[in-house]
Amino acid sequence: MSRRIVLSAAAGVVVLGGAGAFALAYAGDQSPTLAHSTARYTAPAADRDGSLTFTTDVTASSEVKSVKVLAWPANSSFAKKGLTAKDMASVDSAVCKPSGGDSERCTYKVPVTQADADGSPRGQWHVAVLVTAKDGDTTLDTKAADFTVA
């Protein structure tokens, strides 16, 4: 084998190895992602409270630190001004459990009393989610799921 071919092959391995290392480093430093988000609203009945249950799968390369959840009516002030991470700072948190690899299954459940339902706007609602990873990366999805209050 000529010396030129050996040097070219070695240079190719170095270039491909460097690209692979970059791809792995980039893949390991992604912002958290949400998948399979669902919201289920059950109205209260005469003899029992209703509930709002939101579930989502969260993937974060540095593990999940917190998942904040806020249900908001589509015709609220948030629809006009936009929802921010600052708005999400003091809202309730979901409970997350490992579901394999870098993923966690997160669930937020809150009871809905008849008084809550009577005082809530009717129509479409959105569920906003703020995910914070342990490395500080965040993802805000202001419309992760929808439900309707009739």
Side-chain angles (χ1 to χ4, degrees):
M1 192 182 278
S2 79
R3 186 168 182 227
R4 177 195 255 175
I5 294 173
V6 171
L7 288 176
S8 294
V13 168
V14 169
V15 168
L16 289 175
F22 173 77
L24 284 175
Y26 180 74
D29 195 25
Q30 298 281 327
S31 292
T33 59
L34 300 168
H36 313 294
S37 299
T38 61
R40 189 172 130 214
Y41 173 77
T42 304
D47 59 340
R48 63 167 173 74
D49 286 347
S51 65
L52 170 63
T53 303
F54 171 77
T55 58
T56 191
D57 294 324
V58 179
T59 302
S61 58
S62 71
E63 298 184 34
V64 176
K65 179 179 177 183
S66 70
V67 176
K68 301 283 194 162
V69 179
L70 175 67
W72 58 281
N75 61 359
S76 73
S77 62
F78 291 134
K80 294 177 184 92
K81 71 174 187 142
L83 190 60
T84 67
K86 187 175 180 180
D87 296 321
M88 300 288 291
S90 61
V91 302
D92 293 334
S93 296
V95 175
C96 299
K97 296 182 180 178
S99 61
D102 293 336
S103 296
E104 296 192 27
R105 179 77 165 175
C106 301
T107 304
Y108 171 77
K109 186 171 184 175
V110 61
V112 178
T113 65
Q114 189 63 53
D116 294 333
D118 291 344
S120 296
R122 303 291 182 243
Q124 186 178 36
W125 285 60
H126 304 295
V127 178
V129 181
L130 176 64
V131 178
T132 304
K134 287 191 176 177
D135 66 3
D137 285 344
T138 61
T139 296
L140 174 62
D141 187 343
T142 60
K143 297 179 182 175
D146 299 320
F147 63 96
T148 302
V149 175

